[in-house]
Amino acid sequence: MNHPAERAARAVPTLPLVLGVTDGMLNALTLAGGALFHGDADGLTLLLALRVGIAALVTSTFTMFVADYAERRSSLVRAARQLNLTVRGQLAATNLGRHAFHESLVAMAVAAGASLAGAFLPLALGASLPGPSWTVVPLTVGLLGVFGWLLGGVIAGRRAVWAVAMTVGGIAVTAIGVWLDIA
């Protein structure tokens, strides 16, 4: 019998969740980086957090669905070829193809929600806290490090390596975001 934690872990697809959270936080650092350092005292607002969150949601939604569905359909096409089915796409036109479509919709929804949360929450928290707007950068980079630590544990990896890699990635993306000065 399956343990409830094992069932819960399988219920949420890992790739879209990790992609969404990471993409959201990196979008926040890239798109709002300029406003956090170059903007005036009111550079970081809840409206900016929402705008960045929506941008992350939209790109994540489209990208995750297209990539996931393409991967699932190409697997069905490869399987049909290995089974020597004569009509190209024959296997993809069955219930397996419809299942692939629905699984891709689930992956898309998970990635979209995670990306929105990953982008919006750190910026909204930073906008709500007193002090200079740039304080959201160490907060978000720190959250990336914590996420890396947690991810390392989930995948039985070296937690410290994951935490450091995610932190360094956050710092690098922030530098690019400040240089681009988009928002």
Side-chain angles (χ1 to χ4, degrees), residues 29-137:
L29 292 170
T30 303
L31 297 176
L36 297 174
F37 285 104
H38 298 165
D40 55 11
D42 297 327
L44 180 59
T45 64
L46 287 175
L47 181 59
L48 178 61
L50 182 63
R51 288 172 45 216
V52 170
I54 290 171
L57 176 139
V58 169
T59 58
S60 174
T61 298
F62 183 76
T63 303
M64 188 72 233
F65 180 77
V66 169
D68 191 74
Y69 190 53
E71 178 62 26
R72 291 176 191 277
R73 288 286 298 225
S74 66
S75 293
L76 291 173
V77 169
R78 279 192 304 275
R81 192 171 39 247
Q82 290 171 346
L83 293 170
N84 293 323
L85 297 177
T86 56
V87 178
R88 181 166 158 65
Q90 186 175 359
L91 196 57
T94 66
N95 280 339
L96 291 173
R98 286 185 287 288
H99 181 70
F101 179 78
H102 291 110
E103 289 295 313
S104 294
L105 287 177
V106 169
M108 176 192 76
V110 169
S115 192
L116 173 66
F120 175 74
L121 293 175
L123 292 176
L125 183 60
S128 303
L129 294 174
S133 61
W134 61 263
T135 58
V136 78
V137 171

Side-chain angles (χ1 to χ4, degrees), residues 141-167:
V141 170
L143 286 173
L144 272 168
V146 169
F147 187 65
W149 180 268
L150 294 171
L151 184 58
V154 167
I155 64 169
R158 293 172 49 192
R159 288 178 182 253
V161 171
W162 278 93
V164 168
M166 296 288 278
T167 301

